[in-house]
Every structure is written in structure tokens, then in C-alpha cells.
Amino acid sequence: KILITYSGGDKVCQNGLEAKTVMQLSCSTTVGVPALHHIDTLNCTFYIAWETRAACAVKPQKVQMVNGTITIPATQKALSLGEVYSKLSQASGDIRPNGDIYVYDIQLSGITNTKGICKSASVCQVKDDKIFTRNVGSSNDVAYYILDDDLDVEFSSGSQCGRDKTKATSSTIFFRCSQSVGVGKPEFIHETDDCQYLFSWYTDVICPLTPEFIGKDDKLPGEEGLSGRSQAVGAVLSLL
């Protein structure tokens, strides 16, 4: 089971306390939907239960990236990430309550067309004033993991976390199969309290990881949709 707590909500309870929500994710065979379980009026806490495949334990397999190519453990076939690995992309959607807007330059192979702190970074945070930049994911401190039919890429960095000075920033990109978007682009999801920046990237590049491709030729079939786990994770991430 996974517990996620949201605090600092509106004062909707009669006792004047700020609302808090506790979401419990538990493993199931379907994507599922969240449902209100109960409300603790004394502590102004809302409890939500969600039975979903996204909460099921999947042992990640660490794989080595060599010049933009990984080896699929299940087939021992080479999978090239192509433009996803070598091309500079940008993720948007990080708009803060105070009006600050951030975008994220992302290049798995390392950003080369920049100077300063983000040179050779893989994930660079850029404020809309174009003055503030921060390396939140280093290209020389990265790990690639295959989880079921998905690819997760985790970056560390030496940049200090503004919310917790004892920690450093990090980034995770969740790559998910979608044959309808082509190469696709990264999207900002969320920044955690300990300065972990989360991104999703739907792309057809990693579709050979999905079960319908295992044991088949590398040519992509026509119109298969997202894999089961990709749908589940996508549904959960869209609400967190």
C-alpha cells in the first residue's frame, strides 16, 4: 500500500482547521478510480482509497545506457532512444501560486548549447525571467530502470534544495508508450517537498518494451493503445 498526504487545504471544517487529504493506493488488476472512504471531522482529514494496478510492486531492472541505446532484458534486443536521447526538449506546466513560471530544458545526453550551471546537465530549471537557472538533473549522475513495460530515468544533482537545505535536487522522467504521439515531449508533473522534480513523457520510442512487442519484429504495429500499466500510472499521476 502507498499513502500520500496533502495538507494546507481550505478551512472547510467547522473547527477552523485546514483540510488535509490522505490517499491510500493499493494493488489491483485494473486502473481503478479513487473513492472517498471516510472523513475524520475532528481532524478535518479526508481519506480516499484507490485500488489500482499502478500501486502494484514491480521490481525495477537497472539497464545500461550506451550512446543512446539500451538492451531490453526480456529479449536482449537493442532499443535506441534516438531523438528522445539526443535532442533538446522543453517541459512546461510549472506555475507557482505566487505567479512564478518555470520551464525545464531536458536532454538525456546532456545539454550542450548553454553556458553556466546547466552546461552538461540533463534537466535544467529555467525561470521565466531567463536569469535564474538551476541544474536539477546531472547527465553524469543518472540511472535507467525498466519497470514492466515502462522506462524510468532518475537523475541526481549537486544543487541545494530550497525547501530542505540538507537535501539536493533530483529529477525523474517516466517514459510511457503511446504510438499516437510519435517522439512526443516531456511534461512537468509535480515537485515534491524534498525537491524531486517529476516528469512524464509519452512516446512511441519505448513501445518495444510493451508485451505485444515481445518476441515480435521491431516494426511498430498500427494502432495498439497504451499498455495496461502505462494507463494506470498515467491516471494516478494526472491526479497527484
Side-chain angles (χ1 to χ4, degrees), residues 149-176:
D149 46 14
D150 302 320
L151 176 68
D152 293 353
V153 185
E154 300 179 358
F155 302 90
S156 299
S157 83
S159 300
Q160 188 180 61
C161 174
R163 301 181 181 184
D164 186 343
K165 305 299 184 183
T166 65
K167 298 182 179 179
T169 62
S170 63
S171 294
T172 299
I173 304 175
F174 303 103
F175 286 95
R176 305 296 181 244

PDB file of all heavy atoms in Angstrom, residues 149-176:
ATOM      1  N   ASP A 149       6.624  -2.540 -18.509  1.00  0.00           N
ATOM      2  CA  ASP A 149       6.708  -2.073 -19.889  1.00  0.00           C
ATOM      3  C   ASP A 149       7.024  -0.581 -19.979  1.00  0.00           C
ATOM      4  O   ASP A 149       6.726   0.068 -20.978  1.00  0.00           O
ATOM      5  CB  ASP A 149       5.411  -2.376 -20.648  1.00  0.00           C
ATOM      6  CG  ASP A 149       4.178  -2.000 -19.840  1.00  0.00           C
ATOM      7  OD1 ASP A 149       4.332  -1.283 -18.837  1.00  0.00           O
ATOM      8  OD2 ASP A 149       3.074  -2.418 -20.204  1.00  0.00           O
ATOM      9  N   ASP A 150       7.614  -0.033 -18.941  1.00  0.00           N
ATOM     10  CA  ASP A 150       7.939   1.389 -18.892  1.00  0.00           C
ATOM     11  C   ASP A 150       9.424   1.602 -18.645  1.00  0.00           C
ATOM     12  O   ASP A 150      10.132   0.702 -18.184  1.00  0.00           O
ATOM     13  CB  ASP A 150       7.144   2.085 -17.771  1.00  0.00           C
ATOM     14  CG  ASP A 150       5.643   1.921 -17.945  1.00  0.00           C
ATOM     15  OD1 ASP A 150       5.168   2.001 -19.089  1.00  0.00           O
ATOM     16  OD2 ASP A 150       4.952   1.713 -16.930  1.00  0.00           O
ATOM     17  N   LEU A 151       9.877   2.811 -18.928  1.00  0.00           N
ATOM     18  CA  LEU A 151      11.260   3.187 -18.675  1.00  0.00           C
ATOM     19  C   LEU A 151      11.281   4.408 -17.771  1.00  0.00           C
ATOM     20  O   LEU A 151      10.652   5.428 -18.080  1.00  0.00           O
ATOM     21  CB  LEU A 151      11.978   3.505 -19.992  1.00  0.00           C
ATOM     22  CG  LEU A 151      13.425   4.009 -19.880  1.00  0.00           C
ATOM     23  CD1 LEU A 151      14.338   2.888 -19.366  1.00  0.00           C
ATOM     24  CD2 LEU A 151      13.930   4.520 -21.229  1.00  0.00           C
ATOM     25  N   ASP A 152      11.970   4.304 -16.636  1.00  0.00           N
ATOM     26  CA  ASP A 152      12.129   5.423 -15.712  1.00  0.00           C
ATOM     27  C   ASP A 152      13.593   5.844 -15.698  1.00  0.00           C
ATOM     28  O   ASP A 152      14.479   4.986 -15.636  1.00  0.00           O
ATOM     29  CB  ASP A 152      11.704   5.043 -14.292  1.00  0.00           C
ATOM     30  CG  ASP A 152      10.202   4.775 -14.192  1.00  0.00           C
ATOM     31  OD1 ASP A 152       9.491   5.024 -15.188  1.00  0.00           O
ATOM     32  OD2 ASP A 152       9.754   4.329 -13.122  1.00  0.00           O
ATOM     33  N   VAL A 153      13.827   7.138 -15.740  1.00  0.00           N
ATOM     34  CA  VAL A 153      15.185   7.670 -15.721  1.00  0.00           C
ATOM     35  C   VAL A 153      15.318   8.598 -14.516  1.00  0.00           C
ATOM     36  O   VAL A 153      14.553   9.556 -14.384  1.00  0.00           O
ATOM     37  CB  VAL A 153      15.515   8.434 -17.022  1.00  0.00           C
ATOM     38  CG1 VAL A 153      16.980   8.858 -17.022  1.00  0.00           C
ATOM     39  CG2 VAL A 153      15.218   7.574 -18.241  1.00  0.00           C
ATOM     40  N   GLU A 154      16.278   8.304 -13.644  1.00  0.00           N
ATOM     41  CA  GLU A 154      16.458   9.056 -12.405  1.00  0.00           C
ATOM     42  C   GLU A 154      17.787   9.816 -12.437  1.00  0.00           C
ATOM     43  O   GLU A 154      18.833   9.241 -12.708  1.00  0.00           O
ATOM     44  CB  GLU A 154      16.427   8.116 -11.203  1.00  0.00           C
ATOM     45  CG  GLU A 154      15.116   7.350 -11.069  1.00  0.00           C
ATOM     46  CD  GLU A 154      15.111   6.397  -9.882  1.00  0.00           C
ATOM     47  OE1 GLU A 154      16.158   6.320  -9.184  1.00  0.00           O
ATOM     48  OE2 GLU A 154      14.084   5.744  -9.654  1.00  0.00           O
ATOM     49  N   PHE A 155      17.712  11.113 -12.163  1.00  0.00           N
ATOM     50  CA  PHE A 155      18.874  11.978 -12.153  1.00  0.00           C
ATOM     51  C   PHE A 155      19.097  12.544 -10.756  1.00  0.00           C
ATOM     52  O   PHE A 155      18.150  12.924 -10.074  1.00  0.00           O
ATOM     53  CB  PHE A 155      18.692  13.173 -13.100  1.00  0.00           C
ATOM     54  CG  PHE A 155      18.424  12.820 -14.531  1.00  0.00           C
ATOM     55  CD1 PHE A 155      17.121  12.648 -14.992  1.00  0.00           C
ATOM     56  CD2 PHE A 155      19.469  12.664 -15.424  1.00  0.00           C
ATOM     57  CE1 PHE A 155      16.865  12.336 -16.311  1.00  0.00           C
ATOM     58  CE2 PHE A 155      19.222  12.352 -16.758  1.00  0.00           C
ATOM     59  CZ  PHE A 155      17.924  12.187 -17.193  1.00  0.00           C
ATOM     60  N   SER A 156      20.343  12.616 -10.347  1.00  0.00           N
ATOM     61  CA  SER A 156      20.719  13.347  -9.146  1.00  0.00           C
ATOM     62  C   SER A 156      21.398  14.645  -9.575  1.00  0.00           C
ATOM     63  O   SER A 156      21.693  14.854 -10.756  1.00  0.00           O
ATOM     64  CB  SER A 156      21.659  12.522  -8.271  1.00  0.00           C
ATOM     65  OG  SER A 156      21.034  11.323  -7.853  1.00  0.00           O
ATOM     66  N   SER A 157      21.651  15.522  -8.613  1.00  0.00           N
ATOM     67  CA  SER A 157      22.361  16.767  -8.923  1.00  0.00           C
ATOM     68  C   SER A 157      23.029  17.273  -7.655  1.00  0.00           C
ATOM     69  O   SER A 157      22.754  16.802  -6.553  1.00  0.00           O
ATOM     70  CB  SER A 157      21.406  17.829  -9.478  1.00  0.00           C
ATOM     71  OG  SER A 157      20.743  18.512  -8.436  1.00  0.00           O
ATOM     72  N   GLY A 158      23.877  18.272  -7.814  1.00  0.00           N
ATOM     73  CA  GLY A 158      24.533  18.877  -6.661  1.00  0.00           C
ATOM     74  C   GLY A 158      23.877  20.165  -6.211  1.00  0.00           C
ATOM     75  O   GLY A 158      24.381  20.843  -5.316  1.00  0.00           O
ATOM     76  N   SER A 159      22.718  20.493  -6.803  1.00  0.00           N
ATOM     77  CA  SER A 159      22.032  21.739  -6.456  1.00  0.00           C
ATOM     78  C   SER A 159      21.262  21.586  -5.149  1.00  0.00           C
ATOM     79  O   SER A 159      20.558  20.592  -4.952  1.00  0.00           O
ATOM     80  CB  SER A 159      21.074  22.147  -7.575  1.00  0.00           C
ATOM     81  OG  SER A 159      21.754  22.345  -8.792  1.00  0.00           O
ATOM     82  N   GLN A 160      21.372  22.578  -4.298  1.00  0.00           N
ATOM     83  CA  GLN A 160      20.720  22.523  -2.988  1.00  0.00           C
ATOM     84  C   GLN A 160      19.220  22.703  -3.118  1.00  0.00           C
ATOM     85  O   GLN A 160      18.731  23.518  -3.896  1.00  0.00           O
ATOM     86  CB  GLN A 160      21.294  23.603  -2.067  1.00  0.00           C
ATOM     87  CG  GLN A 160      20.833  23.508  -0.626  1.00  0.00           C
ATOM     88  CD  GLN A 160      21.434  24.605   0.240  1.00  0.00           C
ATOM     89  OE1 GLN A 160      21.214  25.785   0.006  1.00  0.00           O
ATOM     90  NE2 GLN A 160      22.219  24.201   1.229  1.00  0.00           N
ATOM     91  N   CYS A 161      18.479  21.931  -2.337  1.00  0.00           N
ATOM     92  CA  CYS A 161      17.023  22.051  -2.288  1.00  0.00           C
ATOM     93  C   CYS A 161      16.644  23.280  -1.483  1.00  0.00           C
ATOM     94  O   CYS A 161      17.099  23.454  -0.351  1.00  0.00           O
ATOM     95  CB  CYS A 161      16.420  20.793  -1.657  1.00  0.00           C
ATOM     96  SG  CYS A 161      14.633  20.868  -1.383  1.00  0.00           S
ATOM     97  N   GLY A 162      15.810  24.145  -2.064  1.00  0.00           N
ATOM     98  CA  GLY A 162      15.415  25.358  -1.362  1.00  0.00           C
ATOM     99  C   GLY A 162      14.518  25.105  -0.175  1.00  0.00           C
ATOM    100  O   GLY A 162      14.525  25.850   0.799  1.00  0.00           O
ATOM    101  N   ARG A 163      13.746  24.026  -0.217  1.00  0.00           N
ATOM    102  CA  ARG A 163      12.814  23.721   0.870  1.00  0.00           C
ATOM    103  C   ARG A 163      13.484  22.998   2.024  1.00  0.00           C
ATOM    104  O   ARG A 163      13.047  23.094   3.167  1.00  0.00           O
ATOM    105  CB  ARG A 163      11.661  22.868   0.333  1.00  0.00           C
ATOM    106  CG  ARG A 163      10.865  23.526  -0.779  1.00  0.00           C
ATOM    107  CD  ARG A 163       9.735  22.633  -1.242  1.00  0.00           C
ATOM    108  NE  ARG A 163       8.965  23.227  -2.321  1.00  0.00           N
ATOM    109  CZ  ARG A 163       7.878  22.695  -2.852  1.00  0.00           C
ATOM    110  NH1 ARG A 163       7.435  21.523  -2.394  1.00  0.00           N
ATOM    111  NH2 ARG A 163       7.237  23.292  -3.830  1.00  0.00           N
ATOM    112  N   ASP A 164      14.528  22.236   1.704  1.00  0.00           N
ATOM    113  CA  ASP A 164      15.246  21.475   2.722  1.00  0.00           C
ATOM    114  C   ASP A 164      16.738  21.555   2.397  1.00  0.00           C
ATOM    115  O   ASP A 164      17.221  20.870   1.505  1.00  0.00           O
ATOM    116  CB  ASP A 164      14.778  20.016   2.734  1.00  0.00           C
ATOM    117  CG  ASP A 164      15.391  19.207   3.867  1.00  0.00           C
ATOM    118  OD1 ASP A 164      16.407  19.656   4.446  1.00  0.00           O
ATOM    119  OD2 ASP A 164      14.863  18.125   4.180  1.00  0.00           O
ATOM    120  N   LYS A 165      17.438  22.425   3.097  1.00  0.00           N
ATOM    121  CA  LYS A 165      18.843  22.699   2.789  1.00  0.00           C
ATOM    122  C   LYS A 165      19.745  21.485   2.960  1.00  0.00           C
ATOM    123  O   LYS A 165      20.875  21.471   2.488  1.00  0.00           O
ATOM    124  CB  LYS A 165      19.360  23.831   3.686  1.00  0.00           C
ATOM    125  CG  LYS A 165      18.543  25.124   3.625  1.00  0.00           C
ATOM    126  CD  LYS A 165      18.523  25.729   2.227  1.00  0.00           C
ATOM    127  CE  LYS A 165      17.769  27.062   2.233  1.00  0.00           C
ATOM    128  NZ  LYS A 165      17.665  27.643   0.878  1.00  0.00           N
ATOM    129  N   THR A 166      19.247  20.447   3.628  1.00  0.00           N
ATOM    130  CA  THR A 166      20.068  19.252   3.837  1.00  0.00           C
ATOM    131  C   THR A 166      20.010  18.306   2.634  1.00  0.00           C
ATOM    132  O   THR A 166      20.727  17.314   2.602  1.00  0.00           O
ATOM    133  CB  THR A 166      19.611  18.493   5.091  1.00  0.00           C
ATOM    134  OG1 THR A 166      18.284  17.987   4.890  1.00  0.00           O
ATOM    135  CG2 THR A 166      19.620  19.401   6.310  1.00  0.00           C
ATOM    136  N   LYS A 167      19.165  18.611   1.653  1.00  0.00           N
ATOM    137  CA  LYS A 167      18.993  17.717   0.513  1.00  0.00           C
ATOM    138  C   LYS A 167      19.350  18.415  -0.787  1.00  0.00           C
ATOM    139  O   LYS A 167      19.399  19.642  -0.861  1.00  0.00           O
ATOM    140  CB  LYS A 167      17.551  17.201   0.463  1.00  0.00           C
ATOM    141  CG  LYS A 167      17.159  16.375   1.686  1.00  0.00           C
ATOM    142  CD  LYS A 167      15.742  15.852   1.581  1.00  0.00           C
ATOM    143  CE  LYS A 167      15.385  15.009   2.802  1.00  0.00           C
ATOM    144  NZ  LYS A 167      13.995  14.499   2.739  1.00  0.00           N
ATOM    145  N   ALA A 168      19.584  17.608  -1.806  1.00  0.00           N
ATOM    146  CA  ALA A 168      19.886  18.124  -3.140  1.00  0.00           C
ATOM    147  C   ALA A 168      18.708  17.832  -4.067  1.00  0.00           C
ATOM    148  O   ALA A 168      17.921  16.913  -3.831  1.00  0.00           O
ATOM    149  CB  ALA A 168      21.161  17.489  -3.685  1.00  0.00           C
ATOM    150  N   THR A 169      18.587  18.620  -5.118  1.00  0.00           N
ATOM    151  CA  THR A 169      17.519  18.402  -6.083  1.00  0.00           C
ATOM    152  C   THR A 169      17.771  17.132  -6.891  1.00  0.00           C
ATOM    153  O   THR A 169      18.908  16.686  -7.052  1.00  0.00           O
ATOM    154  CB  THR A 169      17.390  19.586  -7.046  1.00  0.00           C
ATOM    155  OG1 THR A 169      18.613  19.711  -7.785  1.00  0.00           O
ATOM    156  CG2 THR A 169      17.129  20.882  -6.293  1.00  0.00           C
ATOM    157  N   SER A 170      16.696  16.551  -7.398  1.00  0.00           N
ATOM    158  CA  SER A 170      16.788  15.375  -8.269  1.00  0.00           C
ATOM    159  C   SER A 170      15.605  15.409  -9.224  1.00  0.00           C
ATOM    160  O   SER A 170      14.648  16.171  -9.031  1.00  0.00           O
ATOM    161  CB  SER A 170      16.794  14.082  -7.457  1.00  0.00           C
ATOM    162  OG  SER A 170      15.577  13.935  -6.749  1.00  0.00           O
ATOM    163  N   SER A 171      15.666  14.601 -10.255  1.00  0.00           N
ATOM    164  CA  SER A 171      14.581  14.550 -11.237  1.00  0.00           C
ATOM    165  C   SER A 171      14.338  13.108 -11.659  1.00  0.00           C
ATOM    166  O   SER A 171      15.264  12.294 -11.696  1.00  0.00           O
ATOM    167  CB  SER A 171      14.928  15.385 -12.477  1.00  0.00           C
ATOM    168  OG  SER A 171      15.009  16.758 -12.174  1.00  0.00           O
ATOM    169  N   THR A 172      13.080  12.813 -11.982  1.00  0.00           N
ATOM    170  CA  THR A 172      12.706  11.517 -12.534  1.00  0.00           C
ATOM    171  C   THR A 172      11.796  11.730 -13.724  1.00  0.00           C
ATOM    172  O   THR A 172      10.825  12.491 -13.641  1.00  0.00           O
ATOM    173  CB  THR A 172      11.989  10.642 -11.496  1.00  0.00           C
ATOM    174  OG1 THR A 172      12.859  10.407 -10.375  1.00  0.00           O
ATOM    175  CG2 THR A 172      11.599   9.300 -12.094  1.00  0.00           C
ATOM    176  N   ILE A 173      12.120  11.069 -14.837  1.00  0.00           N
ATOM    177  CA  ILE A 173      11.287  11.119 -16.034  1.00  0.00           C
ATOM    178  C   ILE A 173      10.660   9.747 -16.227  1.00  0.00           C
ATOM    179  O   ILE A 173      11.359   8.736 -16.289  1.00  0.00           O
ATOM    180  CB  ILE A 173      12.094  11.509 -17.285  1.00  0.00           C
ATOM    181  CG1 ILE A 173      12.810  12.849 -17.071  1.00  0.00           C
ATOM    182  CG2 ILE A 173      11.176  11.593 -18.505  1.00  0.00           C
ATOM    183  CD1 ILE A 173      13.727  13.238 -18.220  1.00  0.00           C
ATOM    184  N   PHE A 174       9.322   9.716 -16.299  1.00  0.00           N
ATOM    185  CA  PHE A 174       8.596   8.471 -16.524  1.00  0.00           C
ATOM    186  C   PHE A 174       8.246   8.378 -18.010  1.00  0.00           C
ATOM    187  O   PHE A 174       7.393   9.120 -18.496  1.00  0.00           O
ATOM    188  CB  PHE A 174       7.309   8.439 -15.686  1.00  0.00           C
ATOM    189  CG  PHE A 174       7.538   8.619 -14.210  1.00  0.00           C
ATOM    190  CD1 PHE A 174       7.276   9.844 -13.604  1.00  0.00           C
ATOM    191  CD2 PHE A 174       8.014   7.585 -13.427  1.00  0.00           C
ATOM    192  CE1 PHE A 174       7.472  10.023 -12.243  1.00  0.00           C
ATOM    193  CE2 PHE A 174       8.216   7.750 -12.065  1.00  0.00           C
ATOM    194  CZ  PHE A 174       7.944   8.971 -11.472  1.00  0.00           C
ATOM    195  N   PHE A 175       8.912   7.479 -18.723  1.00  0.00           N
ATOM    196  CA  PHE A 175       8.630   7.274 -20.139  1.00  0.00           C
ATOM    197  C   PHE A 175       7.538   6.228 -20.284  1.00  0.00           C
ATOM    198  O   PHE A 175       7.645   5.136 -19.736  1.00  0.00           O
ATOM    199  CB  PHE A 175       9.891   6.819 -20.882  1.00  0.00           C
ATOM    200  CG  PHE A 175      10.894   7.918 -21.097  1.00  0.00           C
ATOM    201  CD1 PHE A 175      11.942   8.103 -20.201  1.00  0.00           C
ATOM    202  CD2 PHE A 175      10.795   8.769 -22.184  1.00  0.00           C
ATOM    203  CE1 PHE A 175      12.873   9.110 -20.391  1.00  0.00           C
ATOM    204  CE2 PHE A 175      11.715   9.780 -22.389  1.00  0.00           C
ATOM    205  CZ  PHE A 175      12.762   9.957 -21.492  1.00  0.00           C
ATOM    206  N   ARG A 176       6.494   6.564 -21.066  1.00  0.00           N
ATOM    207  CA  ARG A 176       5.353   5.683 -21.251  1.00  0.00           C
ATOM    208  C   ARG A 176       5.065   5.520 -22.741  1.00  0.00           C
ATOM    209  O   ARG A 176       5.229   6.457 -23.519  1.00  0.00           O
ATOM    210  CB  ARG A 176       4.111   6.248 -20.542  1.00  0.00           C
ATOM    211  CG  ARG A 176       4.325   6.542 -19.046  1.00  0.00           C
ATOM    212  CD  ARG A 176       4.606   5.276 -18.272  1.00  0.00           C
ATOM    213  NE  ARG A 176       4.801   5.519 -16.855  1.00  0.00           N
ATOM    214  CZ  ARG A 176       5.936   5.302 -16.210  1.00  0.00           C
ATOM    215  NH1 ARG A 176       6.989   4.850 -16.855  1.00  0.00           N
ATOM    216  NH2 ARG A 176       6.036   5.512 -14.911  1.00  0.00           N
TER     217      ARG A 176
END
